[in-house]
Amino acid sequence: MTDLFVEVIVGSVREGRIGLAVADWFVARAAAQPKWSVSVIDLAELMLPTDFSPSEAAEELRRRIERADVVVAVTPEYNHGYSAALKTALDSVKHEWRAKPIGFVSYGGVSGGLRATEQLRQVVAELHMVSVRQSVSIHQARKQFRAPNPSVDAIAIDAADRMIGELDWWGRGLREHRGRQPYPG
């Protein structure tokens, strides 16, 4: 059984963001999964053009998503929604998203980013992705991710482990099926 290639997308590009700390926490849990190869796409470093003009950054994103078996979006909640940078990333690639599972790690204040996740579920359905049922929601994220020692609550830890299990199941099944028959969409 070959490794699943998992891309974790950091959806915040703001100055002072905690998205990288949240992503690092999730990546540590995901990388402990047997037969997972995990890498991070930091949208602040990738710098996709917002006018969708051809670019090296867009081509790199396309290649990485094409190779991925599983995608995880680490998303803040801004004004009851997800970030413009994450929307740009989703819109910069088309066919490569199809028939791939996606999970969400959201963070924010009291809501823990749940509204961003609910909006993203609608968007990824249009991209022909499979949104797994379980998601991770980190409430009061700034308190939980105080440097240098994050203290993530047990509910988020349990949710992450459950989501990883669902992503593994869907990732292996869809990869096998895509290998036998191209996705018709």
Side-chain angles (χ1 to χ4, degrees):
M1 183 171 16
T2 61
D3 285 3
L4 278 180
F5 293 106
V6 180
E7 288 288 3
V8 177
I9 300 173
V10 181
S12 174
V13 299
R14 284 187 178 178
E15 186 73 29
R17 66 192 172 143
I18 62 168
L20 278 178
V22 175
D24 288 346
W25 168 79
F26 180 78
V27 166
R29 297 199 77 74
Q33 178 73 18
K35 299 285 189 181
W36 274 34
S37 178
V38 182
S39 61
V40 175
I41 298 171
D42 184 352
L43 296 180
E45 290 178 9
L46 195 60
M47 297 183 6
L48 291 163
T50 56
D51 66 356
F52 305 107
S53 59
S55 70
E56 240 179 77
E59 181 57 25
E60 179 184 343
L61 179 64
R62 188 198 64 72
R63 280 192 310 270
R64 290 181 70 174
I65 298 305
E66 182 176 48
R67 181 175 183 239
D69 297 307
V70 169
V71 178
V72 175
V74 177
T75 183
E77 182 178 307
Y78 297 151
N79 303 317
H80 288 222
Y82 59 97
S83 70
L86 187 52
K87 179 65 168 147
T88 298
L90 291 167
D91 291 345
S92 292
V93 176
K94 187 171 182 174
H95 300 289
E96 291 79 8
W97 298 115
R98 293 179 177 184
K100 302 220 175 141
I102 185 167
F104 301 104
V105 177
S106 65
Y107 59 93
V110 174
S111 75
L114 289 172
R115 295 172 289 220
T117 295
E118 289 309 308
Q119 290 178 11
L120 283 164
R121 288 185 192 282
Q122 295 172 27
V123 173
V124 301
E126 284 301 309
L127 296 172
H128 299 248
M129 297 184 84
V130 177
S131 171
V132 298
R133 164 71 177 74
Q134 185 67 56
S135 64
V136 181
S137 175
I138 300 173
H139 305 272
Q140 301 297 323
R142 290 219 177 264
K143 289 180 183 176
Q144 293 191 57
F145 282 91
R146 284 196 182 119
N149 298 315
S151 178
V152 180
D153 66 47
I155 294 168
I157 291 168
D158 181 60
D161 293 343
R162 289 173 186 266
M163 186 176 79
I164 287 168
E166 290 178 14
L167 288 167
D168 188 75
W169 190 89
W170 279 103
R172 291 186 192 289
L174 288 173
R175 178 178 65 183
E176 182 181 323
H177 198 68
R178 284 191 314 271
R180 286 194 317 263
Q181 177 181 351
Y183 181 70

